[in-house]
Every structure is written in C-alpha cells, then in structure tokens.
Amino acid sequence: MKEQKGTLFVLTGPSGVGKGTLLSRVLPTLDSLFLSISATTRSPRPDEQDGVHYYFLNRGQFEEKVRNGEFLEHAQFSGNYYGTPSGPIDMHLARGEDVVLEIEVQGAMQIREKRPDAAMIFVAPPDFPTLEARLRGRQTEDEAAIALRLQTAREELKQIPKFDYLVINDDLTRAEEELKAVFLAERSRTNHRTFHMS
Ligand code: ADP
Ligand code: 5GP
C-alpha cells in the first residue's frame, strides 16, 4: 500500500476557540503532517519567533508577495494581513506528505475554491461566553482587539455548514481525540491511497 500524494487539511474557527492548542497536542502524535507557517503583518507576541510561529512582514513586504503570487490564500483579519506561502505546501504534498493550514474563515473559503480536495475542518466553541472567556484569558489582545475578534466570530460561525467536519472544543481531551480521528479518517480515503495485491 502506497500513499499517492499528500492531503491538504484546513483547520479554521474563531480566534480563541483553541485551534493552536488542539494542533499542538495532535501534531506530535501523527507522522508526516506538516503545519504551514503563515506570513502576517501583525506584531509578534512576546513568545513568538520569526520563521517559527509566523513570518513577520511589514505591509510593503506582504503586498509585494501578494503581487508576486506567492500566497495560496491571503486575507485581512482584525486589521492585519495573513497569508499562506504556497511553495512549501506544494513541496510537501508532492512528496506524499500531509499539510495542515491553521487559518481564519475567509482564507479557508479561498482554499475550498482553489483546492476542492482539501479536508475542511471547523473548530467551534461550546457557546459564545466560553469563546469570550478563552480569548480574554489568553491575555494576548487588548480590549478593542478582543471586541473586534468576537464580532468577527459571530460571522465566522455562520459558515460552519460549508465545512466537511465540525469539532466542538468543549473538553480538550475529547476534542483532541475527535480532531485526530478526522486526520486518520481522511488519510484512509481510497482516493488518497493506492493498493497493490502482491
Ligand atoms: P486559537 O488558536 O483558536 O486562537 P488558542 O489555542 O490560543 O486559540 O486557545 C485560546 C485559549 O483557550 C488558550 O488560553 C487556551 O489555553 C484555551 N483553551 C483552548 N482549548 C481549551 C479547552 N478545551 N478548554 C479550556 N481552555 C482551552
Ligand atoms: P492570530 O493573530 O491570533 O495569530 O491569528 C488571527 C487569525 O488569523 C486566526 O484565526 C488564525 O488562524 C488566522 N491565520 C493565521 N495564519 C493565517 C493565514 O495564513 N491565512 C489566513 N487567512 N488566516 C490566518
């Protein structure tokens, strides 16, 4: 049995829902699954490193990459640009390795159009007050940024029916198991595999 080409996974959901937390727990348990590193014009948080968490660019640098067609998708979110560099993704997929993008909803919708084979996963909070509490509890944004992210979240949640999978992040361990099950199920699809009887 041999993998044909890699699978592209898109994980989206409102800011503060726990996408990063879930991925940081599930990724180490799966082989050959690469997390795409995005570019952004947002300022780095104290614990973030350039080239590890994001490629931190200024607006001019970001816009030049857009003009050069270097992004598979890009979007404006909460006053900053975010984009997925396409080069590393195509390289991994061609090698038969899987890639996961952790991006916001407008970008996810662009991927759905461009790469209809992508497995689209939405992470939702159990309820709105929980989302608000998590976003506040993270202490990475000021009040204005939190308010904007929550307002955006209400619109993002309306897009859930356009996704293939919905993971509700209530209990972390249960949500983590569910997310891992999605990755494993997608990897077993016949169109991602070839089978030769010997
Ligand atoms: P996102 O990447 O979607 O913006 P984070 O992974 O940064 O969200 O999570 C936001 C906050 O919520 C973090 O402080 C994280 O520790 C917390 N969190 C994530 N998932 C859960 C959960 N299931 N239960 C309680 N807290 C959680
Ligand atoms: P944060 O500023 O909290 O790191 O990210 C804000 C939002 O931007 C999150 O929902 C995150 O998933 C999303 N994001 C991160 N990278 C990208 C990207 O490359 N493209 C898009 N469209 N969104 C991204």
Side-chain angles (χ1 to χ4, degrees):
M1 198 132 32
K2 181 172 149 298
E3 299 281 337
Q4 262 181 319
K5 68 176 177 68
T7 302
L8 181 61
F9 291 93
V10 176
L11 188 81
T12 197
S15 176
V17 74
K19 303 182 293 296
T21 304
L22 283 167
L23 276 179
S24 69
R25 293 169 68 117
V26 171
L27 277 172
T29 72
L30 293 167
D31 293 333
S32 299
L33 178 61
F34 291 87
L35 176 63
S36 160
I37 303 172
S38 298
T40 183
T41 59
R42 162 166 85 57
S43 306
R45 293 175 186 149
D47 61 334
E48 287 179 331
Q49 285 168 264
D50 188 42
V52 177
H53 298 92
Y54 279 108
Y55 297 107
F56 294 99
L57 306 178
N58 63 37
R59 259 175 189 257
Q61 291 168 322
F62 194 101
E63 282 163 0
E64 192 183 337
K65 287 185 187 293
V66 172
R67 280 196 299 276
N68 293 340
E70 291 182 42
F71 293 125
L72 184 57
E73 62 72 38
H74 68 279
Q76 214 166 348
F77 179 87
S78 256
N80 285 297
Y81 285 127
Y82 294 82
T84 303
S86 46
I89 291 171
D90 290 333
M91 184 193 76
H92 285 300
L93 294 178
R95 283 186 192 157
E97 296 159 348
D98 297 343
V99 178
V100 57
L101 313 183
E102 193 232 288
I103 63 176
E104 54 71 68
V105 177
Q106 304 164 72
M109 291 294 105
Q110 293 173 42
I111 300 288
R112 198 176 73 133
E113 293 302 312
K114 282 192 183 168
R115 304 281 173 106
D117 279 355
M120 308 291 297
I121 310 165
F122 197 104
V123 184
D127 49 54
F128 214 78
T130 303
L131 178 68
E132 184 164 353
R134 285 189 193 157
L135 200 48
R136 254 178 234 293
R138 194 170 67 183
Q139 297 189 315
T140 48
E141 273 75 35
D142 61 23
E143 270 308 307
I146 290 173
L148 188 54
R149 284 176 183 233
L150 288 172
Q151 191 188 328
T152 305
R154 291 199 184 272
E155 291 307 308
E156 292 177 321
L157 290 164
K158 293 181 187 162
Q159 305 299 321
I160 289 174
K162 296 181 179 160
F163 286 77
D164 300 317
Y165 297 96
L166 174 62
V167 173
I168 306 214
N169 184 16
D170 41 15
D171 176 70
L172 187 55
T173 306
R174 198 204 44 77
E176 182 189 334
E177 277 170 9
E178 239 176 70
L179 181 60
K180 185 167 178 179
V182 170
F183 283 118
L184 294 177
E186 276 295 318
R187 283 183 163 184
S188 301
R189 289 173 78 106
T190 49
N191 59 340
H192 293 301
R193 290 192 154 171
T194 50
F195 176 74
H196 300 292
M197 189 96 124
S198 53

